[in-house]
Amino acid sequence: QVQLKESGPGLVQPSQTLSLTCTVSGFSLMDYSVHWVRQPPGKGLEWMGRMKYDGDTYYNSALKSRLSISRDTSKSQVFLKMNSLQTEDTAIYYCTRENVMDAWGQGASVTVSS
Amino acid sequence: DIVMTQGVLPNPVPSGESASITCRSSKSLVYKDGKTYLNWFLQRPGQSPQLLTYWMSTRASGVSDRFSGSGSGTYFTLKISRVRAEDAGVYYCQQVREYPLTFGSGTKLEIK
């Protein structure tokens, strides 16, 4: 059974760094890519970046200077780090599988506030 | 970046009727392999998005045949036949033809 689960802090201070983990099961990170997508409250979906099955990464140019995606295949985990957080980064952050995005995590709610 | 533009539905849609959601891309989504790289998702309130169709018209596993995707290289339609209460939510189209991947702004479906 394919599953993805996001975890991380619910509250981050402005200007600080967000760290999220996506733990997957039911498939291998060496066979499938994982994407990060976020959704601000009451708004639409924004693609953030991708960790490809071969370890290659690709980022949304709007976030590229602040964003880093990495992984630990032995733990079936993909990591998102984004620095210099502002209130507009308040959102639900999802990880999802492959370009078809056929499986999603339940989302991690992140609030940027002092 | 490829811009995805979605249409609006005349809500609410009576249960049992059909509904068609439109999506337009600023660039053709047909790749050299002949496939059209367009996904449709449904996001019910409080839930994660759910894949409905990919490659424009291929239904995802477990998705009802009441959902059908169609279109050309830049104009797409998701048709929902015999709408039911469980179909309510926001529908998103997404292009995966090239990076950055981009979503439409969403189309809300309400059921009467």
Side-chain angles (χ1 to χ4, degrees):
Chain A
Q1 182 184 1
V2 172
Q3 291 187 321
L4 302 93
K5 186 173 183 180
E6 306 88 349
S7 58
L11 180 65
V12 179
Q13 304 260 359
S15 80
Q16 296 302 300
T17 297
L18 170 66
S19 294
L20 294 174
T21 299
C22 174
T23 303
V24 310
S25 58
F27 67 97
S28 170
L29 293 178
M30 302 188 73
D31 294 326
Y32 290 87
S33 303
V34 169
H35 297 252
W36 287 94
V37 174
R38 69 177 180 176
Q39 184 172 37
K43 295 190 176 181
L45 301 166
E46 179 185 28
W47 177 79
M48 300 181 70
R50 172 216 76 194
M51 168 60 73
K52 197 174 177 183
Y53 52 83
D54 62 3
D56 183 53
T57 53
Y58 201 100
Y59 303 112
N60 187 325
S61 58
L63 303 171
K64 189 174 182 178
S65 63
R66 302 193 290 137
L67 182 62
S68 174
I69 298 174
S70 59
R71 69 179 183 176
D72 184 336
T73 56
S74 68
K75 294 183 178 179
S76 295
Q77 293 179 325
V78 179
F79 310 105
L80 177 148
K81 287 191 189 306
M82 191 162 68
N83 59 32
S84 305
L85 253 62
Q86 301 302 320
T87 54
E88 51 265 32
D89 295 312
T90 293
I92 296 176
Y93 287 75
Y94 298 100
C95 55
T96 177
R97 187 177 81 155
E98 277 295 317
N99 281 18
V100 291
M101 301 192 180
D102 61 348
W104 294 65
Q106 85 281 5
S109 180
V110 175
T111 300
V112 182
S113 174
S114 56
Chain B
D1 298 2
I2 297 178
V3 177
M4 305 298 290
T5 304
Q6 293 187 230
V8 178
L9 279 174
N11 284 313
V13 178
S15 179
E17 297 290 300
S18 64
S20 290
I21 301 170
T22 61
C23 172
R24 190 184 303 270
S25 60
S26 61
K27 178 180 175 178
S28 174
L29 303 186
V30 181
Y31 192 57
K32 55 187 176 183
D33 61 4
K35 292 176 180 170
T36 303
Y37 285 84
L38 187 281
N39 297 337
W40 282 103
F41 299 91
L42 162 61
Q43 188 175 33
R44 298 184 176 97
Q47 295 187 16
S48 303
Q50 171 196 355
L51 177 69
L52 296 174
T53 65
Y54 58 97
W55 295 339
M56 186 176 71
S57 59
T58 301
R59 266 188 301 275
S61 176
V63 173
S64 169
D65 59 5
R66 295 185 300 105
F67 293 88
S68 61
S70 63
S72 63
T74 59
Y75 189 80
F76 311 98
T77 302
L78 178 72
K79 182 177 178 180
I80 312 166
S81 302
R82 306 180 303 281
V83 298
R84 301 160 62 162
E86 68 208 48
D87 301 333
V90 179
Y91 289 78
Y92 293 94
C93 60
Q94 181 205 27
Q95 68 82 17
V96 292
R97 166 66 177 78
E98 64 183 40
Y99 287 97
L101 308 185
T102 46
F103 292 89
S105 57
T107 300
K108 189 172 186 178
L109 172 62
E110 297 174 350
I111 310 297
K112 180 167 61 177

